[in-house]
Amino acid sequence: MLRQYELVERVKAYDPNADEAVLNRAYVYTVQKHGTQKRASGDPYFSHPVEVAGLMTELKLDQPTIVTALLHDTVEDTLVTIEEIDRLFGPEVARLVDGVTKLSKIEAMTENERAAENLRKFLLAMSEDLRVLLVKLADRLHNMRTLHFIKSEEKRRRIAKETMDIYAPLAERVGMYEYMREMQLLAFEQLEPTAYATITGRLAQIRDTDGGQVDAIALTFKQALSEAGLDVEVSGREKHPYSIWKKMAERHVSFEQITDIMAFRVLTDSEEGCYRALGILHTTWQMIPGRFKDYVSTPKANGYKSLHTALIYENSMRVEVQIRTREMHRTNEFGLAAHWGYKSGERPDGEVGWLRDLIEIVDASHDAEELLEHTRLAIYQDRIFAFTPKGALHQLPKGATPVDFAYAVHSNLGNFAVGAKINGRHVPLRTPLTNGDVVEIIKNRSASPQLAWLGFVVTGKARAAIRRAVRAKEREEVAAIGRKLFDEIAGRLPQKIGKKAIKDAVRRLELDDEEALMLAIGGARLDDRQVMEALVPGSAVGLTEPEQWPKQDRAISIKGLTAGVAFQLGTCCHPVPGDRIVGVRHKGQGVEVHAIDCLDLASGVDADWLDLSWGERTTGAIGRLRVVLYNRPGTLAEATGIFAGSHANIVHLEMIGRDDVFGTYEVDLEVNDLAHLTRIVSALRASDGVAQAERI
């Protein structure tokens, strides 16, 4: 653990103007406040914030950040308040400490909800000051270094998974690759202990038996470049164990089949030197097609710059090579932190595009699960580059589609997208993009996002925007259903219902306004009896539930037909009592009864048309629904439970489509009338397991 004077000396070494008294006061304060608290390792607890502060000095961060690192756990783990920190160390440090502090006191929330709320607060604080993220990443890195001291395997795996899912990708997104690699390695050891032991063992075996081959290859590269007049540094290493395991999993290959285990780095003095070195290596050794990437002319979103290539060395050995300047290397290893110097003029612009996307996702996410899912997608690591027709560059996750691209350009462009051209050729919206594609989005202002898009989009921003738009559309539809049901309920009352009665009903039901009433009815949160009683108190006396109201005979009668004439209800439109209907009589056959807007009648039918209406007996009609369920256990049972609870008999149920996200079903239900069928649709749409429900 760093001693007090050692920490101060580190800061003064790069910032001679740092206030030594403030640093000493913060060090003593954290030691006093954490007192006798111990870590799982048995070390004094204050050793943790001191080590986090030490990590911050390695990045040469400013004094408020060092003080924040020292104090970052005092509010959570001691009796210290933000107000006290503000009084003793100033508002800037108080704001940073508050941003880093975790919300650990939310006892009532589930694990996912706690994680989501912590992440929500963290992202919002980070958007105001990236130093919050830098301290948090150092905090997580030091906790991972001591994770093995925690006795509970379940807790170790939970922390490791959170690190792998959120913090390592966040470190990558701000370009802190050293932090990212160490976090991944430590998390990998906990999550896949057998694979970790096997791969690290094999790498150690290679080091013992290769006779210094890595150093020999690095020397050969250096000699070839030096002979061409380039002053370079060349270093080599085995690839990261986690990246090897990831490649094995993605390619479904064994360790022996991974041919590019060795990686080399060439450091030059200038960009021109980078390209010269690349040319020399490519003319001396055969390059592997498709493996060259130029992140110098087109940097990654986090500012990463480097040339990447792969060569075939002697004996068909494949090696990876990264070429960059020395300045690029520092930026690449420590990202935005490398630019966040102790001098204000060196600080990076806080407006980072991907960070703005994350904040938009925080605002758009509906619940904890969505927030975690969308954020993990937004910080996905493998990237591709695509261009607008005017040449604007956008970086997207590997596997992104034109819909993802449209939302990356602007939310409205995604909402209005109806088609796309890639490199001038019309393609389906689900087509994956590749590096260098020029993407043109075809839009229509009357269009809206489709639920099916969730089956192929890969960015958190697109997924959040689609779900938000679909929810808004469903809200409109639920309100429309509620209005229809309201009119049907009001029609059963003994008096005409006016605006005043509706206003009084809203007040009695403790709702905000008339729209909220329609949403509650359409969303099956109010039954008919409650609505009737709210509109006209006493009107529902003696009536408990809709299914206990007087029922009709289980037969259907049609007005407008001659007595004894046979008829059947159309299987194309499945009319139910309440629909406007028409009869179609073909010569020598009975009468088919269709809904007036049946699509089969739209193109004209060579038959006699009869003006019909429903008779007094209207029970037992068949209504057909298309129901899209989320593809997870229990959703079909949930839907059938709604049918049973609504006293609707299932006549036929068939799955007509399924993918990784949704299962689509067609179901024929025996219902009383249109109002009965509408209530069922409303109840389905209110269910968490149902993505979409509509009448066919």
Side-chain angles (χ1 to χ4, degrees):
M1 183 183 74
L2 278 176
R3 296 176 184 270
Q4 184 175 336
Y5 74 88
E6 291 173 327
L7 179 66
V8 173
E9 285 178 357
R10 281 197 186 187
V11 178
K12 298 285 280 187
Y14 63 81
D15 183 6
N17 297 320
D19 190 332
E20 188 173 336
V22 172
L23 292 170
N24 282 323
R25 189 149 41 89
Y27 191 105
V28 172
Y29 187 82
T30 195
V31 170
Q32 289 178 340
K33 294 303 177 182
H34 286 295
T36 58
Q37 292 175 349
K38 299 285 187 182
R39 288 176 61 78
S41 61
D43 293 332
Y45 190 90
F46 59 77
S47 65
H48 167 66
V50 169
E51 290 300 324
V52 173
L55 289 171
M56 296 290 92
T57 64
E58 292 174 8
L59 300 176
K60 295 182 170 59
L61 293 178
D62 60 3
Q63 179 179 299
T65 310
I66 306 300
V67 174
T68 298
L70 288 169
L71 306 178
H72 77 271
D73 273 339
T74 53
V75 174
E76 179 189 353
D77 295 330
T78 74
L79 299 176
V80 172
T81 64
I82 290 294
E83 291 73 23
E84 184 176 343
I85 289 178
D86 190 335
R87 178 170 52 82
L88 294 175
F89 298 98
E92 183 179 12
V93 170
R95 176 173 52 80
L96 292 172
V97 171
D98 190 43
V100 181
T101 300
K102 297 180 289 293
L103 297 179
S104 58
K105 297 180 180 179
I106 309 176
E107 301 290 347
M109 290 187 173
T110 65
E111 194 65 51
N112 265 355
E113 285 174 332
R114 280 202 298 275
E117 284 303 314
N118 287 338
L119 185 60
R120 185 188 301 273
K121 180 182 179 185
F122 176 45
L123 292 175
L124 290 171
M126 187 175 75
S127 70
E128 296 174 1
D129 197 322
L130 278 171
R131 289 175 293 178
V132 170
L133 172 59
L134 302 181
V135 175
K136 185 63 180 177
L137 290 177
D139 170 60
R140 178 53 60 116
L141 178 60
H142 186 255
N143 281 332
M144 289 301 295
R145 287 175 176 176
T146 57
L147 184 63
H148 59 282
F149 288 111
I150 295 177
K151 293 180 180 179
S152 168
E153 181 184 354
E154 181 183 352
K155 186 175 181 180
R156 291 199 308 271
R157 289 180 62 84
R158 176 178 61 77
I159 294 171
K161 187 173 189 311
E162 185 180 66
T163 300
M164 191 73 86
D165 286 347
I166 295 175
Y167 292 102
L170 274 172
E172 188 269 344
R173 287 310 304 270
V174 293
M176 298 180 71
Y177 287 92
E178 283 292 331
Y179 278 37
M180 178 199 75
R181 284 191 286 266
E182 188 174 351
M183 283 182 189
Q184 286 178 336
L185 184 65
L186 294 167
F188 177 43
E189 182 179 7
Q190 297 295 332
L191 296 173
E192 300 288 345
T194 303
Y196 172 85
T198 301
I199 293 173
T200 53
R202 295 298 298 275
L203 289 174
Q205 189 178 8
I206 290 172
R207 281 194 296 273
D208 292 339
T209 58
D210 72 358
Q213 188 177 29
V214 172
D215 293 337
I217 295 173
L219 182 60
T220 303
F221 286 163
K222 182 176 175 64
Q223 288 174 341
L225 296 170
S226 297
E227 289 172 4
L230 285 173
D231 178 20
V232 298
E233 296 176 32
V234 182
S235 59
R237 58 174 175 78
E238 297 94 359
K239 294 191 73 173
H240 194 259
Y242 173 68
S243 67
I244 292 174
W245 178 81
K246 190 177 177 185
K247 189 172 289 187
M248 289 168 59
E250 288 175 350
R251 297 182 184 176
H252 304 288
V253 295
S254 65
F255 184 91
E256 289 75 10
Q257 292 172 291
I258 300 292
T259 55
D260 50 354
I261 288 176
M262 295 184 187
F264 296 85
R265 181 174 296 138
V266 177
L267 301 183
T268 72
D269 290 326
S270 65
E271 284 191 12
E272 180 189 0
C274 292
Y275 288 104
R276 283 187 61 201
L278 178 73
I280 293 164
L281 293 176
H282 278 190
T283 52
T284 308
W285 290 276
Q286 181 183 350
M287 65 92 67
I288 301 172
R291 298 293 296 277
F292 170 64
K293 294 176 182 176
D294 186 347
Y295 294 119
V296 173
S297 65
T298 311
K300 291 186 178 183
N302 57 22
Y304 178 92
K305 286 185 173 184
S306 186
L307 299 176
H308 290 192
T309 190
L311 306 173
I312 298 179
Y313 195 69
E314 298 171 2
N315 303 321
S316 300
M317 180 188 298
R318 297 184 175 206
V319 296
E320 288 189 358
V321 183
Q322 299 172 350
I323 308 169
R324 60 185 67 158
T325 67
R326 291 173 177 84
E327 179 58 32
M328 288 177 196
H329 179 58
R330 171 162 171 75
T331 301
N332 292 349
E333 294 306 288
F334 299 107
L336 291 174
H339 291 298
W340 199 287
Y342 55 89
K343 297 176 184 176
S344 60
E346 297 179 12
R347 293 180 181 177
D349 181 6
E351 287 295 301
V352 182
W354 67 270
L355 185 53
R356 290 197 302 272
D357 288 348
L358 281 182
I359 301 309
E360 188 174 325
I361 286 168
V362 169
D363 293 336
S365 295
H366 186 246
D367 53 28
E369 294 284 352
E370 273 191 24
L371 176 61
L372 290 172
E373 174 196 355
H374 295 164
T375 306
R376 286 166 186 160
L377 289 171
I379 55 183
Y380 194 87
Q381 295 175 50
D382 297 330
R383 317 296 287 177
I384 60 118
F385 303 90
F387 298 86
T388 68
K390 292 184 178 179
L393 173 68
H394 291 274
Q395 297 188 41
L396 295 161
K398 189 176 180 181
T401 65
V403 175
D404 295 294
F405 182 87
Y407 279 108
V409 175
H410 196 281
S411 295
N412 282 341
L413 185 61
N415 289 338
F416 298 142
V418 293
K421 290 182 181 179
I422 297 180
N423 304 323
R425 185 170 56 88
H426 281 280
V427 297
L429 285 173
R430 66 186 308 127
T431 306
L433 302 177
T434 57
N435 258 326
D437 280 343
V438 177
V439 185
E440 179 184 351
I441 301 298
I442 302 165
K443 63 180 182 179
N444 185 328
R445 291 199 170 273
S446 63
S448 60
Q450 303 300 305
L451 187 68
W453 290 357
L454 292 176
F456 58 78
V457 296
V458 300
T459 60
K461 184 176 183 181
R463 193 170 288 269
I466 292 164
R467 281 180 168 159
R468 179 170 51 187
V470 168
R471 278 197 292 267
K473 186 178 179 182
E474 285 181 350
R475 180 183 173 91
E476 292 176 6
E477 292 177 354
V478 168
I481 288 175
R483 175 64 66 181
K484 288 181 181 178
L485 290 173
F486 175 84
D487 292 342
E488 188 269 332
I489 294 168
R492 293 195 235 124
L493 292 169
Q495 62 201 67
K496 189 174 181 180
I497 300 301
K499 286 289 183 184
K500 185 178 184 306
I502 296 175
K503 188 175 180 180
D504 290 343
V506 167
R507 178 177 51 77
R508 291 184 184 112
L509 293 167
E510 298 182 347
L511 299 172
D512 292 334
D513 50 31
E514 185 175 335
E515 182 186 13
L517 173 61
M518 301 310 160
L519 286 169
I521 297 171
R525 297 194 301 275
L526 291 173
D527 60 31
D528 295 19
R529 179 183 177 281
Q530 290 172 297
V531 178
M532 293 175 72
E533 193 64 25
L535 288 168
V536 181
S539 61
V541 173
L543 298 177
T544 54
E545 297 294 336
E547 60 268 19
Q548 294 177 343
W549 296 354
K551 286 185 168 54
Q552 298 156 323
D553 296 333
R554 298 196 60 78
I556 292 177
S557 60
I558 303 290
K559 291 180 181 179
L561 290 177
T562 306
V565 171
F567 70 90
Q568 63 179 20
L569 301 179
T571 55
C572 46
C573 54
H574 292 275
V576 297
D579 289 326
R580 289 182 58 201
I581 53 176
V582 65
V584 175
R585 180 163 52 195
H586 297 274
K587 191 172 182 179
Q589 300 179 18
V591 174
E592 287 182 359
V593 179
H594 294 264
I596 196 72
D597 54 358
C598 176
L599 293 178
D600 280 14
L601 304 181
S603 56
V605 176
D606 184 18
D608 294 332
W609 289 53
L610 305 173
D611 186 18
L612 303 178
S613 61
W614 299 99
E616 294 178 358
R617 298 190 308 279
T618 58
T619 305
I622 305 298
R624 175 168 291 179
L625 302 179
R626 180 179 287 114
V627 183
V628 181
L629 303 177
Y630 287 107
N631 198 0
R632 57 177 184 251
T635 52
L636 182 58
E638 191 173 336
T640 54
I642 290 172
F643 301 147
S646 302
H647 294 267
N649 187 37
I650 300 174
V651 178
H652 179 73
L653 176 66
E654 179 183 1
M655 175 182 280
I656 60 171
R658 182 176 182 177
D659 57 29
D660 291 342
V661 184
F662 304 111
T664 304
Y665 297 82
E666 282 189 0
V667 56
D668 292 345
L669 297 173
E670 194 174 53
V671 295
N672 297 339
D673 51 26
L674 180 60
H676 188 193
L677 185 61
T678 305
R679 284 194 197 94
I680 295 169
V681 172
S682 154
L684 288 168
R685 289 178 173 176
S687 167
D688 289 336
V690 179
Q692 198 171 32
E694 58 186 1
R695 182 184 175 193
I696 300 178

